[in-house]
Amino acid sequence: MQRWKFPRDRSHIPVLMVHSIHLERRHHHNKPRKENGTMFQILLTPSAGKRLIAKAILEHKAIQEALHSKTIVIVAGTTNGYVAEELLKSIGQEKGFDRKQFFRGITLPPSFKATEAGRLPDESSFPGDVVIVNGTWQKGKTLFDCVDTLQKGDIIIKGANCIDSNRKRAGILIGHPRGGTIAAAMQAVVGRRVKLIIPVGLEKRVTEDIDTIANLLNSPDSTGPRMFPVSGEILTEIEAIELLFGLKATLVAAGGVCGAEGSIWLAVEGDPHKLTHAKRLLEEIGQEEQFQIA
């Protein structure tokens, strides 16, 4: 199966920016010597970051081990829509899946209509979560249909709304009075040691401690969404590059305009042969079109 397929006509898609820098390293005896090592910088839009993370999750050892023999629950969310696409394609069951409304709560510009809980007024096209049992997609099922039967070895994949990379913590905004999908998921994670993987883009990084944020938002004096802080295996673009290519990525800058809002600059370094391979594939991933809802 070929996992790296991209449209040939990319004229309508913003181009990934790549810069290469040749490095001169010094020998342990302080004698300068030239090496073939290079470091390149890349600009990834939020949608390209989502695709990169999704491809990395597909190669994750725990996912590979569970895909055909355990239960994997991909909880609806914009990043997880890309994850669901990659996993369903890998088992030849992508037909009938559309990520354009694969979410519950969503953050939209003020010009879009949404409920107070951050949901679309019309959710008739919501497909449910993606539940894969022993390699078969259980269409129409949600986390709530299977959470009580999940056991050690099963996996829940759940996105987040903010991330503290230094402390390896994530936060999920809550609009439901019972805590939403994360409250249900944590029953299996804590109660039965079900693995929790949290795919989240670096666009959602925060500098404040997430527990402090949760205390603020969950206060009886507060208004708006609440927050559920969680620990799990957090997978950003940085971890994705390490998992896919065995290379180190460092966040060096961020932002942009004209569709590049929320973008990140990463410096990628490591083995020269791995860098060549990574640069080619990241250029392809960088052509990912901007996320659209139906």
Side-chain angles (χ1 to χ4, degrees):
M1 179 193 66
Q2 295 182 350
R3 290 177 178 164
W4 302 90
K5 293 184 179 180
F6 299 86
R8 292 183 178 179
D9 182 7
R10 302 169 183 163
S11 58
H12 64 293
I13 302 172
V15 176
L16 172 75
M17 298 181 69
V18 179
H19 294 275
S20 295
I21 300 176
H22 289 272
L23 302 177
E24 178 177 299
R25 301 176 187 249
R26 290 185 177 272
H27 192 264
H28 293 298
H29 299 294
N30 295 322
K31 294 180 180 180
R33 65 173 185 174
K34 287 285 185 177
E35 293 187 358
N36 293 324
T38 60
M39 178 270 284
F40 66 84
Q41 299 180 43
I42 58 170
L43 174 68
L44 290 173
T45 64
S47 58
K50 293 175 189 292
R51 182 64 69 189
L52 171 63
I53 291 169
K55 288 187 176 296
I57 286 181
L58 178 60
E59 301 300 325
H60 193 294
K61 181 180 178 181
I63 294 294
Q64 289 293 314
E65 290 176 350
L67 190 55
H68 295 283
S69 60
K70 300 290 184 179
T71 297
I72 297 176
V73 183
I74 309 171
V75 180
T78 55
T79 300
N80 272 357
Y82 295 78
V83 174
E85 279 185 340
E86 295 295 331
L87 264 64
L88 290 172
K89 284 179 183 178
S90 74
I91 57 176
Q93 297 177 41
E94 71 274 20
K95 186 177 181 180
F97 177 77
D98 187 353
R99 61 177 162 80
K100 290 183 179 180
Q101 289 208 351
F102 187 66
F103 53 80
R104 290 181 174 87
I106 187 172
T107 301
L108 294 167
S111 58
F112 283 74
K113 290 183 179 180
T115 68
E116 187 176 346
R119 302 176 73 138
L120 295 181
D122 180 9
E123 293 186 330
S124 58
S125 299
F126 176 64
D129 302 313
V130 168
V131 179
I132 302 173
V133 180
N134 298 327
T136 301
W137 176 21
Q138 310 294 306
K139 293 185 178 181
K141 298 290 185 180
T142 71
L143 169 69
F144 300 103
D145 294 318
C146 65
V147 68
D148 290 337
T149 62
L150 296 177
Q151 299 292 331
K152 184 178 179 180
D154 296 329
I155 299 173
I156 296 174
I157 304 174
K158 167 69 181 170
N161 299 102
C162 64
I163 174 180
D164 180 346
S165 297
N166 293 328
R167 299 178 180 90
K168 302 299 180 183
R169 296 274 280 168
I172 295 154
L173 291 176
I174 303 296
H176 195 279
R178 293 187 178 180
T181 55
I182 187 59
M186 292 308 292
Q187 297 176 37
V189 173
V190 176
R192 279 160 271 137
R193 292 191 171 91
V194 171
K195 186 175 182 63
L196 176 63
I197 297 178
I198 306 169
V200 55
L202 288 167
E203 58 165 323
K204 297 178 180 178
R205 65 200 177 278
V206 295
T207 56
E208 189 64 72
D209 178 81
I210 287 179
D211 289 321
T212 301
I213 296 173
N215 288 336
L216 174 66
L217 300 188
N218 297 342
S219 167
D221 299 324
S222 186
T223 61
R226 283 75 68 199
M227 177 165 286
F228 199 125
V230 293
S231 296
E233 183 175 351
I234 295 173
L235 207 156
T236 71
E237 293 90 341
I238 288 176
E239 287 79 18
I241 287 175
E242 181 180 4
L243 198 157
L244 282 172
F245 310 115
L247 298 170
K248 179 184 177 182
T250 303
L251 177 65
V252 295
V257 297
C258 301
E261 294 86 350
S263 296
I264 56 170
W265 279 98
L266 296 177
V268 183
E269 54 186 322
D271 178 84
H273 299 292
K274 292 180 180 179
L275 284 169
T276 300
H277 176 64
K279 184 175 180 181
R280 177 176 61 84
L281 295 182
L282 286 170
E283 285 175 343
E284 294 178 350
I285 291 172
Q287 304 303 315
E288 185 73 34
E289 62 184 6
Q290 194 171 25
F291 180 85
Q292 299 288 336
I293 63 173

